[in-house]
Amino acid sequence: MKPLLETLQSGTEYLAKRGVEEARLNMEHLLAHVLGCRRLDLYLRFDQQLNESELQPLRELTKRRGEGEPLQHLLGTVEFHGSEFVCDHRALIPRPETEHFVHLLTEHHHSKDHPASVLDVGTGSGCIGLSLAKAWPGAAVTLVDLSEDALELARLNVERAGLSAHAVKLVRSDLFEKLSGATFDLIVANLPYIPAGELAELSREVRRDPTLALDGGPSGLDIIFRLLAEAPQHLSPGGLIALELHHDQALRVSERLQSLGFTDIQTHRDLPGIDRFVFARHPGTPPAAIEES
């Protein structure tokens, strides 16, 4: 038996010594996960005595976190845009910048004027496309990924979200390869954008994500530029393409969009103020205002 507060403190020290950022917060999440309670409930239970059946799994999780396994993988789920998504090694961990990306999209397309058809390219866990499907009932959403593992994870999240097969379609495809003739009102993409030479420099937690979901080729933009070249034939007239990018890619992507004839090209910042999102309209169509948030 060991008091909860003492367990929390010793676990926090263990994680901090192993370079885990926000060690206390991580330990609180692990404790709450093992005890099946909310994290804030721990503060009402500091005097509780933990037995060996609780301490043993906690020790294992704490050890794995100290070795760099992401907290979200250990918990098995992540909160994203008001919903809970299954999260594991099969796809990128949904991150705050991507949540802000979804926020921008839903703010600019309210429920009454949302796109009728949405394509989420490189869907991973499905967090972008499924969040839009929940925000816009009636929209037909297609989730595409090259990885069958990622699509299996996305299927779990479709079921978890309670969305019907009519509302959400999953396709294994290399970008538009299996979507011949299909057009969409909105194409969203958070594709691999890390230059191959920078992969080894990523944090140990990020390196647990699938390399396929990180490696953007020598320039970091190889896959994104391929998407842009093929996108016009899959956008409906006036359709919008929206991209999440690396911290230094917005200008180059905007220039490529302009060279391809896209209109109404706009850059949006993430919460820390980095130009991370680029929106553009189908080539040759009149611009539709998307105000900066």
Side-chain angles (χ1 to χ4, degrees):
M1 303 285 282
K2 188 175 181 181
L4 188 152
L5 181 58
E6 182 182 337
T7 303
L8 175 59
Q9 291 171 335
S10 61
T12 297
E13 292 173 4
Y14 176 90
L15 294 180
K17 288 178 181 178
R18 283 152 183 80
V20 175
E21 295 182 4
E22 298 184 313
R24 167 85 179 212
L25 181 61
N26 274 251
M27 197 63 205
E28 288 177 357
H29 277 295
L30 293 177
L31 254 173
H33 177 69
V34 168
L35 297 178
C37 68
R38 297 181 307 162
R39 183 176 65 85
L40 294 179
D41 290 340
L42 297 175
Y43 289 82
L44 304 175
R45 303 170 65 172
F46 279 163
D47 293 332
Q48 177 179 337
Q49 297 292 317
L50 303 183
N51 57 44
E52 188 59 27
S53 66
E54 295 162 329
L55 290 170
Q56 193 281 325
L58 181 63
R59 291 191 197 100
E60 175 62 22
L61 290 174
T62 304
K63 179 176 181 292
R64 290 165 62 186
R65 183 67 190 98
E67 293 171 347
E69 191 164 345
L71 176 67
Q72 296 89 339
H73 288 182
L74 297 174
L75 301 180
T77 60
V78 63
E79 291 289 332
F80 184 92
H81 204 256
S83 298
E84 191 174 71
F85 288 82
V86 179
C87 176
D88 62 26
H89 65 281
R90 289 175 285 186
L92 286 179
I93 296 169
R95 293 181 168 87
E97 54 266 33
T98 306
E99 193 168 18
H100 187 59
F101 182 42
V102 172
H103 170 74
L104 286 173
L105 290 164
T106 56
E107 280 292 299
H108 293 302
H109 291 285
H110 298 295
S111 58
K112 292 183 179 179
D113 64 355
H114 64 73
S117 56
V118 178
L119 174 66
D120 178 9
V121 186
T123 191
S125 66
C127 63
I128 298 175
L130 296 180
S131 294
L132 296 177
K134 293 190 75 172
W136 301 330
V141 177
T142 301
L143 311 181
V144 166
D145 207 289
L146 180 59
S147 166
E148 183 58 41
D149 284 343
L151 287 175
E152 287 178 2
L153 182 60
R155 286 188 188 97
L156 289 177
N157 284 319
V158 171
E159 296 171 5
R160 191 181 188 91
L163 295 166
S164 69
H166 173 73
V168 180
K169 179 181 179 183
L170 290 88
V171 180
R172 185 179 184 186
S173 177
D174 181 5
L175 302 182
F176 302 105
E177 178 189 17
K178 301 293 178 61
L179 299 173
S180 178
T183 58
F184 304 89
D185 299 325
L186 171 64
I187 296 175
V188 298
N190 179 18
L191 292 169
Y193 54 54
I194 306 296
E198 297 180 13
L199 293 175
E201 302 170 13
L202 297 173
S203 71
R204 58 181 182 170
E205 285 82 5
V206 175
R207 291 199 302 271
R208 297 291 186 112
D209 284 332
T211 301
L212 185 65
L214 298 170
D215 188 351
S219 73
L221 288 168
D222 297 40
I223 301 170
I224 292 168
F225 281 173
R226 189 156 59 90
L227 173 85
L228 298 185
E230 300 174 18
Q233 60 187 304
H234 294 283
L235 273 172
S236 57
L240 180 73
I241 186 167
L243 308 165
E244 178 178 334
L245 305 167
H246 204 16
H247 63 87
D248 61 352
Q249 295 174 339
L251 178 59
R252 283 179 290 167
V253 168
S254 296
E255 291 173 342
R256 179 58 63 94
L257 285 163
Q258 186 174 27
S259 73
L260 291 169
F262 282 83
T263 64
D264 197 21
I265 302 166
Q266 298 190 22
T267 299
H268 297 262
R269 294 175 178 174
D270 62 12
L271 294 175
I274 297 170
D275 290 335
R276 189 175 294 279
F277 315 111
V278 175
F279 292 3
R281 292 283 172 184
H282 184 282
T285 58
I290 306 173
E291 299 176 359
E292 182 69 44
S293 292

